[in-house]
Amino acid sequence: MSLIKACLFDLDGVIVDTAKYHYQAWRQLANELGFDLTLEQNEQLKGISRMESLDIILAIGGVELSEEEKVRRATEKNARYLELCMQMTPEDTLPGVRAFLDELKHRSVKIGLGSASKNAKVILERIDMLSYFETIVDGNRITRGKPDPQVFLLGAEDLNTPPANCAVFEDAVAGIQSAIAAGMLAVGIGEKSVLAEADIVVPGFVGFHFSDLGD
Ligand code: G6P
Ligand code: MG
């Protein structure tokens, strides 16, 4: 019998590749302010809330804006981001995700979402994945962003599962730190060199099975 009774998933970059749309929309904002945003700089924004991401971007460009202007720019970025997301279909779900979630359901392992995004439900609906999740903890619910463990601790509580019996799937450094701080098994989706703190790192869900989480 496995120790893992619940799996908590990040959304962007784990369930669906929205990271490219976040990057595109943030890059446009940076360009409008007169500087560029590299892919490497974008890595720092993964898992980070919208307003915190904006602060990081403004610091990169050495630009200062009033609070009012920041809200305006962030709203504009979100509208652009959502417009890009609306092109998505269920086929945009990352390879292997559906099969892995089906396996979890088959094994009666609970499934939850832990995302900093305020758009989580809209995006899950768009790719027809909403019904898989027994709980959704998103950016509208949390008061402390990743790397704080709040998002995953709330998810575990909703699923009535002690943190030690939860696994977290994350593509962001901040998300892995959040999972570790919550006392959960941290599974990195991406590159080992970036997600070095994770307990396990895999490039994606293709060929990944529940038994790969260990006993
Ligand atoms: C996720 C993404 C971040 C994004 C954050 C907030 O964590 O990885 O890049 O900034 O969600 O997303 P939102 O959709 O609310 O702007
Ligand atoms: Mg992510």
Side-chain angles (χ1 to χ4, degrees):
M1 282 282 274
S2 171
L3 191 71
I4 300 304
K5 307 290 176 211
C7 288
L8 295 164
F9 295 83
D10 172 47
L11 174 68
D12 297 300
V14 171
I15 301 288
V16 65
D17 184 18
T18 44
K20 62 182 180 218
Y21 298 138
H22 276 298
Y23 176 55
Q24 216 174 309
W26 282 132
R27 193 175 186 198
Q28 191 173 332
L29 176 145
N31 289 170
E32 282 165 10
L33 292 171
F35 60 96
D36 202 13
L37 189 69
T38 65
L39 265 176
E40 204 183 352
Q41 289 163 336
N42 185 62
E43 200 62 42
Q44 298 172 43
L45 309 176
K46 290 188 178 172
I48 306 297
S49 76
R50 196 180 306 162
M51 293 312 287
E52 278 179 277
S53 298
L54 178 59
D55 283 336
I56 295 172
I57 291 166
L58 294 177
I60 289 170
V63 173
E64 274 186 42
L65 297 179
S66 66
E67 278 310 308
E68 203 187 343
E69 181 65 4
K70 279 205 248 178
V71 172
R72 195 181 72 75
R73 294 274 180 178
T75 307
E76 222 171 71
K77 179 267 170 182
N78 192 52
R80 213 175 285 141
Y81 169 68
L82 280 177
E83 205 177 300
L84 293 167
C85 285
M86 288 310 131
Q87 308 165 6
M88 293 192 304
T89 69
E91 274 86 79
D92 286 287
T93 308
L94 284 168
V97 168
R98 242 169 249 272
F100 184 61
L101 294 195
D102 284 334
E103 185 189 349
L104 295 182
K105 279 220 176 286
H106 182 72
R107 291 176 176 268
S108 302
V109 176
K110 295 175 181 167
I111 301 172
L113 192 91
S115 167
S117 174
K118 293 188 170 175
N119 299 304
K121 279 191 188 150
V122 182
I123 289 167
L124 285 176
E125 258 169 23
R126 187 81 214 156
I127 57 168
D128 199 20
M129 291 291 288
L130 192 58
S131 61
Y132 277 100
F133 295 88
E134 282 171 61
T135 183
I136 291 182
V137 185
D138 65 10
N140 300 297
R141 217 174 129 191
I142 55 175
T143 52
R144 297 185 301 276
K146 299 169 187 178
D148 189 281
Q150 187 191 37
V151 63
F152 295 125
L153 289 175
L154 284 174
E157 207 176 289
D158 286 354
L159 298 176
N160 284 314
T161 308
N165 300 118
C166 294
V168 167
F169 296 82
E170 257 295 348
D171 70 318
V173 175
I176 292 294
Q177 290 168 345
S178 169
I180 292 170
M184 301 177 183
L185 182 75
V187 185
I189 306 295
E191 286 173 39
K192 255 200 177 98
S193 57
V194 179
L195 305 172
E197 294 166 68
D199 296 302
I200 306 170
V201 182
V202 288
F205 287 99
V206 176
F208 188 78
H209 292 284
F210 184 65
S211 55
D212 295 326
L213 295 175
D215 302 323

